Amino acid sequence: MNPLEQLVSSFQDLVGQVPEFIQPVIVMLAGAIPFIEGEVASLIGVVGGLNPIVTGIAAAAGNYICVLLVVFLTSRTRTAVVNHRTAHTVADGEARGVPESAADAAHQEGTPAKPESKGHKRFKKWLVRFGVPGASLLGPLAIPTQFMSAMLVAGGTPRAWVLLWQAVAIVLWTTIATVSAWLALHLVVPV
């Protein structure tokens, strides 16, 4: 038995000590962690000896539930900030006796421009070039889906559009990772 086969066998023995109904829950929890997400969580489950279909579904579900929470929290935060700015600007204009549109202009001019970070510039470039579908599908190659969805919603993209395309991306990448892990495990390391 080569070292890789021994490592896989030892890991499967370790996973076998966990009750069967808890194993997919562990994969789902792993899928909710940024940088691990559905892709790595499905690899863990497949190498651990779980059914690849159950593993893929659990990993994708964990990742999507986390994205769903991030999108709703970011959306509520964005709404609160926008409402606060609007109320603050209107109140400032009324206090000075300035019409609302002039108060908006004064608020915009009075706020010093903060320089954009390199990452934010790169994100905007991707978003302009590929749109929300492209950013969602290609985003996992660069940053976690949780971060991508938060940036999209914070930038003003509708929640439903972000959730739809993040779901497509999560299912696609988790399926690719699950099938690849299963094929590698059966073709490279015959277990």
Side-chain angles (χ1 to χ4, degrees):
M1 183 180 281
N2 70 32
L4 189 57
E5 289 174 341
Q6 186 177 4
L7 179 66
V8 169
S9 179
S10 297
F11 185 66
Q12 288 179 348
D13 290 341
L14 178 67
V15 171
Q17 294 175 8
V18 176
E20 279 191 44
F21 66 94
I22 299 289
Q23 293 171 357
V25 174
I26 293 171
V27 170
M28 187 165 30
L29 291 173
I33 300 170
F35 296 105
I36 291 180
E37 299 188 339
E39 296 86 9
V40 177
S42 66
L43 295 174
I44 292 169
V46 169
V47 171
L50 275 71
N51 180 326
I53 295 171
V54 172
T55 298
I57 292 170
N63 195 357
Y64 188 73
I65 289 169
C66 186
V67 166
L68 187 70
L69 291 172
V70 167
V71 165
F72 282 120
L73 288 173
T74 305
S75 175
R76 290 189 63 125
T77 303
R78 183 181 193 285
T79 302
V81 167
V82 168
N83 289 344
H84 178 73
R85 280 187 182 167
T86 303
H88 189 348
T89 303
V90 170
D92 284 350
E94 289 173 356
R96 287 187 254 145
V98 180
E100 191 173 318
S101 60
D104 289 340
H107 186 270
Q108 294 295 333
E109 292 172 11
T111 307
K114 184 177 170 185
E116 284 186 328
S117 68
K118 244 176 23 175
H120 193 265
K121 287 179 185 176
R122 189 177 320 137
F123 170 73
K124 283 175 72 175
K125 181 179 164 187
W126 272 43
L127 191 56
V128 168
R129 181 180 288 169
F130 302 112
V132 174
S136 294
L137 293 171
L138 298 174
L141 298 172
I143 61 174
T145 54
Q146 293 92 336
F147 298 166
M148 176 63 69
S149 60
M151 290 190 313
L152 288 169
V153 171
T157 306
R159 267 191 323 211
W161 194 241
V162 173
L163 290 172
L164 170 71
W165 282 104
Q166 288 298 323
V168 170
I170 289 168
V171 168
L172 176 74
W173 287 108
T174 303
T175 301
I176 290 170
T178 305
V179 170
S180 299
W182 184 82
L183 285 172
L185 201 59
H186 285 78
L187 298 177
V188 177
V189 184
V191 179

